[in-house]
Amino acid sequence: GNSVTQMEGPVTLSEEAFLTINCTYTATGYPSLFWYVQYPGEGLQLLLKATKADDKGSNKGFEATYRKETTSFHLEKGSVQVSDSAVYFCALSDRPGNAGNMLTFGGGTRLMVKP
Amino acid sequence: DAGVIQSPRHEVTEMGQEVTLRCKPISGHDYLFWYRQTMMRGLELLIYFNNNVPIDDSGMPEDRFSAKMPNASFSNLKIQPSEPRDSAVYFCASSRMGSYNEQFFGPGTRLTVL
């Protein structure tokens, strides 16, 4: 079956540090890949996505590249801010379009950024 | 767009009571999902609907849990009777066919069962 594995947190960084959160997956076919972010007390929000191999998703300074050869979708940001403190979830879907819209989520990685 | 709307935002109840959580999906979305989030188990999919029809309820933990979607604008999740181990944050999410499965989440309902 499908699975998503993320690095365990919490990840604690100082402001302006470089961020990497690792994500690897197991899936059949050619999944779409997502990063969601959950700020304290809120629901999950889509941060970025990539729908095919070698695609790079980007948003708000965050980037992730769909690497089929390593089955990875690592999240990166060059300079984190205190406001980036949140829980980040990697997710995949192997049934895009009309075959069902289910997502498989990783366990989440908590990021804490200190001033 | 108002986004996915959930009510109540917080619910505190006593063990044995019935609890009803409500969700209004984004207009035009044809998939609706109910999730539960706890520290111990993370984010779990409970059930999802397509065009108001339940498709997969294998994540519903017990017969005490039930969910319905009487129309495209409303779904509810009921727990009867509630137990302390049901304490969690319950999220509703919706999506549209053909959107590469992007799901839009509501703000969640924090349930505490005493």
Side-chain angles (χ1 to χ4, degrees), chain A residues 4-115:
Chain A
V4 175
T5 303
Q6 294 179 231
M7 58 190 293
E8 288 197 19
V11 174
T12 303
L13 296 174
S14 297
E15 207 164 23
E16 299 184 2
F18 184 86
L19 168 71
T20 299
I21 300 178
N22 290 338
C23 170
T24 57
Y25 67 89
T26 302
T28 56
Y30 300 92
S32 296
L33 301 173
F34 306 83
W35 277 101
Y36 278 80
V37 58
Q38 184 180 27
Y39 298 104
E42 299 184 10
L44 281 69
Q45 304 172 25
L46 180 66
L47 180 60
L48 54 83
K49 67 183 179 187
T51 57
K52 60 182 186 295
D54 298 326
D55 266 2
K56 178 185 284 188
S58 61
N59 187 24
K60 299 181 181 180
F62 291 89
E63 294 183 340
T65 301
Y66 187 157
R67 301 288 189 198
K68 192 172 186 305
E69 64 275 14
T70 55
T71 62
S72 65
F73 193 54
H74 304 321
L75 182 68
E76 297 181 336
K77 186 175 186 182
S79 176
V80 294
Q81 305 300 312
V82 173
S83 57
D84 294 326
S85 298
V87 180
Y88 292 82
F89 292 89
C90 186
L92 72 80
S93 174
D94 69 350
R95 294 191 287 171
N98 61 2
N101 274 18
M102 289 177 62
L103 292 175
T104 300
F105 285 92
T109 302
R110 182 176 299 278
L111 170 65
M112 295 168 36
V113 180
K114 297 184 175 180

Side-chain angles (χ1 to χ4, degrees), chain A residues 32 34 36 38 41-46 49 51 89 93-103 105 107 110, chain B residues 9 30-31 33 35 37 39 42-43 45 48 56 91 95-108:
Chain A
S32 296
F34 306 83
Y36 278 80
Q38 184 180 27
E42 299 184 10
L44 281 69
Q45 304 172 25
L46 180 66
K49 67 183 179 187
T51 57
F89 292 89
S93 174
D94 69 350
R95 294 191 287 171
N98 61 2
N101 274 18
M102 289 177 62
L103 292 175
F105 285 92
R110 182 176 299 278
Chain B
R9 292 295 310 276
D30 41 17
Y31 285 86
F33 306 81
Y35 291 90
Q37 186 179 40
M39 291 294 291
L43 194 64
L45 176 65
Y48 81 97
D56 186 344
F91 290 104
S95 70
R96 180 176 55 82
M97 183 185 294
S99 62
Y100 287 102
N101 304 351
E102 176 179 349
Q103 293 184 16
F104 293 80
F105 282 73

